[in-house]
Amino acid sequence: MHLRPALACDLASICQFSLTEEELFFAFPKARFPLDNEQLAQAISQRSDATVVLDGDTPVGFANFYRWEYGSCAIGNVMVAPAQRGRGIGHLLIEHMCHIAWDKHAAREVTVSCFNHNTAGLLLYPQLGFVPYAIEQRHGNNGQPLALIHFRLPRPLS
């Protein structure tokens, strides 16, 4: 596995990562299901450091920053290919995004948010040292109330 900036040729593969409307909502609440190249390209153009994890030449993970200023970077659009889930790709991707935040953006902290139904994310982020610091009420696509849990990871002391 290796990581690199996302390219236009990766978009079609990344768009296949979310198999259901709920999965897409977890990763990209403003998107319409199914995700398409246009929606993803527009999000990437408004964000920073879009990154893919590759297995050979095939994208198997994706994330970016939706905020990268004021000493903090916020990771968004975290997605892993369905066939690759449970293999440590999310772990590798989030660690890499943290290093970009600290090294490139001089961030003092990295944040990530996770909906209460996203069990995989809720288990992953604390394993990486992220700590919950706030809960915000949101509503899902069908209007049901959801909790959006915000996590943060301070920059390690050097």
Side-chain angles (χ1 to χ4, degrees):
M1 303 280 172
H2 63 282
L3 296 102
R4 66 158 165 75
L7 304 173
C9 62
D10 300 323
L11 298 183
S13 294
I14 296 165
C15 286
Q16 302 304 309
F17 290 177
S18 298
L19 298 177
T20 66
E21 186 173 355
E22 182 180 51
E23 284 183 7
L24 180 59
F25 183 80
F26 290 162
F28 192 170
K30 294 180 181 178
R32 294 175 321 279
F33 185 81
L35 184 60
D36 59 41
N37 290 11
E38 183 179 328
Q39 292 180 87
L40 184 56
Q42 182 176 359
I44 289 171
S45 74
Q46 297 169 355
R47 295 175 176 227
S48 179
D49 301 288
T51 300
V52 291
V53 179
L54 298 171
D55 184 2
D57 293 331
T58 305
V60 295
F62 174 78
N64 57 42
F65 294 125
Y66 64 88
R67 188 183 68 247
W68 58 97
E69 55 199 14
Y70 309 115
S72 178
C73 288
I75 301 171
N77 295 150
V78 179
M79 295 184 255
V80 174
Q84 302 294 324
R85 294 176 186 163
R87 296 188 54 218
I89 290 164
H91 190 279
L92 176 68
L93 181 58
I94 297 302
E95 281 188 334
H96 183 77
M97 296 303 291
C98 288
H99 287 290
I100 293 172
W102 297 320
D103 298 342
K104 179 179 176 183
H105 298 289
R108 292 184 305 277
E109 72 175 5
V110 177
T111 64
V112 65
S113 299
C114 188
F115 285 102
N116 61 294
H117 289 145
N118 185 351
T119 304
L122 291 174
L123 295 173
L124 172 65
Y125 301 126
Q127 288 176 2
L128 294 167
F130 285 83
V131 176
Y133 70 93
I135 298 175
E136 176 183 349
Q137 182 174 341
R138 293 280 188 95
H139 290 88
N141 290 336
N142 62 2
Q144 84 278 18
L146 297 172
L148 182 62
I149 298 117
H150 301 285
F151 292 86
R152 77 175 76 171
L153 178 67
R155 182 183 185 127
L157 300 175
S158 300

